Structures are given as structure tokens and as C-alpha cells.
Amino acid sequence: MPSDTDTAPLPLPEARRSTQIQILNGRFDALSADHAVEELIRTIRTGERGVLSTVNVAILMMMRSNPRLQRFVDASRWTVADGQPLVWASHLRQQPLPERVAGIDLIDQLCARAAQEGIGVYFLGADGETVRAAVAALQSRHRSLDVRGYADGYFGPDQAEARARAVADSGAKLLFVAMGVPRQEYFIEEQWENLGARVVIGVGGSFDVIAGRRKRAPALVQRAGLE
């Protein structure tokens, strides 16, 4: 596996959006959650490809000491602010970010659209029991969701290519990877050409919450920017 200081470019073919807001070492797209969903679905429908990175304050700070993670986020087709403090900070700019876009909320919104439009989805990450429970919960909410497959995230470097090719073989166009930062980013970077999916999103520990293994902060705490 390449080191954190490896200078090889991330092999993501699509250019970033031109309108972005700089906050410290991060460049964020001024997208609402609804707009982000529309962008991702359009990308899938037109046969393009791209990675969406969700960045909160902790990840932004991690990027400062991890050049490889910084490059990954910089090369992603979209980067959204998964943290209310980043939205507040953006209001010091002429064009502030419209809202926080949380990865866990995007999962639900994208699965709803995927179910409506017949887009195949794959879930990779967490342990076997958790990913199964998360998939069951999402299928319960979105009855026609086309789950092309799922697999746990507990595998070594020698199994990574097989995991990626299983995603490609499933025909899934949308992939959620929940293996924690920066491992999920490294996996996506290294296996990009093998994954096949049109849109790939790293979602950290979201499967644990969807599966009911962990609880989200109350809505009041979320609005206060303390989640």
C-alpha cells in the first residue's frame, strides 16, 4: 500500500466544479443536500464518474497532516461540508455554503432516488452483521431499492482488488464505502479503476448508525454544530 506521503496523483478522471469556497485547507462545493443528490444522479445517468468527499472539521485537520488524504479530497469531483462549523465559517465569504451536507443523510436521500430510478447500489464496510442490518433497514425504508450486493470492510490489502471487482461485477452504479477515514479513501484511490461504480462516497461510520448500533446526536445538538 502506498504511504501517506506518496506523490502519485489520484486517478479520478472528472474535473472538479469551478465554483468552490475555500475554508482553511479545504475547497467546498456550494451544494445543498438536494442539489448534491441531483448532481450525483445526473452523473450516474450520463455515464460519467466521480467521487464525493464529505469533510468535517476533524477530517479537515487530518488532511493538514496527511498529504495523501489532502490530495484525495482535492481530486474528488465534489466535496461537501459535513459539519455545521464549516457552514458558519463560510459565511465570512461572499458566497457562503447553503447548508451542512451529512454523509449519513445523503445515504438515505440517494437510496430513495435510486429506488425510484432503478439504480443499483452496493454497500461496503463495517462488520458483516452491521452491514447486513444497515442494508435491511434501508430496504425496509425504500422497498424497491436495488441492492446489488454488500460486504464487510474487514479485509487485508491482498483482498482489496477482489472486493473492488465484486462491486464491478454486481453492476452497481452507486457505491457507499464505510471503512473510516483515511482507510476508505485509500481503498477508493487504489481500486478506482476496478470498482466500476459511477459514483463512490466514503461514509465513515454511517452503517453503524443506520443499523441501530450507534445513535446520532439529537437534532438540537446537530443544529448547534456539536454532532
Side-chain angles (χ1 to χ4, degrees), residues 4-122:
D4 291 356
T5 57
D6 194 328
T7 57
L10 182 70
L12 304 184
E14 301 297 343
R16 292 183 61 87
R17 293 164 56 87
S18 58
T19 304
Q20 294 185 308
I21 296 167
Q22 184 87 32
I23 303 174
L24 297 177
N25 53 304
R27 297 196 302 270
F28 296 87
D29 294 290
L31 295 171
S32 66
D34 288 344
H35 192 181
V37 169
E38 292 302 324
E39 283 277 311
L40 300 178
I41 295 298
R42 182 198 62 77
T43 297
I44 292 170
R45 286 300 183 205
T46 57
E48 300 171 43
R49 297 189 75 196
V51 169
L52 182 141
S53 288
T54 64
V55 174
N56 58 25
V57 174
I59 294 172
L60 193 64
M61 294 302 100
M62 192 185 302
M63 288 159 55
R64 298 185 77 165
S65 60
N66 185 330
R68 185 179 178 190
L69 180 61
Q70 179 77 57
R71 287 194 301 274
F72 179 93
V73 174
D74 288 346
S76 298
R77 184 165 182 172
W78 310 273
T79 300
V80 294
D82 188 356
Q84 192 60 39
L86 296 173
V87 178
W88 292 334
S90 77
H91 282 265
L92 300 174
R93 305 288 182 176
Q94 191 171 15
Q95 291 183 303
L97 297 170
E99 64 180 359
R100 176 192 181 196
V101 181
I104 190 168
D105 296 327
L106 278 181
I107 293 174
D108 201 59
Q109 289 179 267
L110 284 165
C111 283
R113 284 294 299 276
Q116 292 171 6
E117 302 196 24
I119 294 170
V121 187
Y122 200 103

Side-chain angles (χ1 to χ4, degrees), residues 187-199:
F187 171 79
I188 295 167
E189 179 183 56
E190 292 164 6
Q191 299 300 326
W192 177 250
E193 297 301 331
N194 297 324
L195 286 168
R198 294 296 179 186
V199 168

Side-chain angles (χ1 to χ4, degrees), residues 122-132 134 150-155 163 175-180 183-184 203-204 207-208:
Y122 200 103
F123 301 84
L124 177 63
D127 60 70
E129 184 178 352
T130 298
V131 68
R132 282 193 297 273
Y150 59 86
D152 68 81
Y154 288 83
F155 56 88
R163 281 288 207 282
L175 169 64
F176 298 107
V177 183
M179 300 193 302
R183 183 171 174 248
Q184 62 195 19
V203 293
F207 292 177
D208 297 84

